[in-house]
Amino acid sequence: MSIKYKLVLRKDLSKGAAEGDKKYYASVNNNGTFSFDDLCESVSAISTASRGDVLVVMDGALSVMKNALLRGEIVQFGELGNFQINTGSKGVATAEEFKTNLIRKARIIFRPGALLKDTLGKVNYKRIGKDAASSEGGGSGEEERPGEL
């Protein structure tokens, strides 16, 4: 299976690019959403657990995970990967000058496990658009957002 992409004309981010220069960049064309409900239903279909059983376990895992993250722990979620809370702050010259309002908003960091990382080695790409062979790109025949080709 291929990851579909389209070409998007955006500001040239190359070092030394002139003001107003533009280049074409690949942009992944997401193909819908696989909802949490779909996930529970699919796991149920390949196991002996009912959809409700899967939902209860997943909700419980998220609740336990939330509490562990708030305690500052790294949560190892099997072959899925690891989750942890991370943040940073503005710097000050002395410890006495530091105030908690200098701390930036916390984020949850996800590091995929080996199974998910291996999936990336299986990715291949297929260009979508009016003329996939063209170097200039093209649309899918549907209305496009400005800057997308």
Side-chain angles (χ1 to χ4, degrees):
M1 195 172 305
S2 298
I3 301 291
K4 295 179 181 175
Y5 73 94
K6 58 189 162 213
L7 292 181
V8 179
L9 186 61
R10 293 192 179 137
K11 179 180 176 182
D12 184 352
L13 301 175
S14 305
K15 186 176 180 178
E19 184 73 28
D21 282 355
K22 296 186 180 232
K23 283 190 174 181
Y24 289 96
Y25 295 90
S27 178
V28 171
N29 186 49
N30 292 314
N31 193 21
T33 301
F34 192 73
S35 71
F36 184 72
D37 194 48
D38 292 337
L39 178 67
C40 291
E41 193 70 40
S42 296
V43 170
S44 173
I46 62 169
S47 70
T48 59
S50 71
R51 183 192 159 287
D53 293 338
V54 175
L55 179 61
V56 167
V57 169
M58 294 293 282
D59 280 345
L62 288 173
S63 178
V64 170
M65 183 176 170
K66 178 186 84 168
N67 292 330
L69 288 170
L70 290 172
R71 290 191 303 266
E73 298 172 341
I74 296 172
V75 176
Q76 294 180 327
F77 211 96
E79 292 195 53
L80 180 64
N82 297 334
F83 296 84
Q84 74 183 81
I85 290 181
N86 193 1
T87 192
S89 70
K90 294 181 180 177
V92 293
T94 66
E96 291 76 26
E97 294 178 66
F98 190 83
K99 306 285 186 237
T100 57
N101 66 343
L102 297 174
I103 300 173
R104 290 191 291 267
K105 185 177 178 181
R107 306 176 299 145
I108 295 177
I109 305 295
F110 170 67
R111 291 185 182 86
L115 185 65
L116 288 181
K117 284 182 184 178
D118 289 346
T119 301
L120 296 176
K122 298 175 183 167
V123 171
N124 59 55
Y125 300 95
K126 180 179 181 182
R127 185 163 164 195
I128 58 173
K130 291 179 188 170
D131 181 8
S134 167
S135 62
E136 293 183 4
S140 61
E142 301 171 357
E143 187 175 318
E144 298 168 344
R145 298 185 307 206
E148 288 188 358
L149 295 178

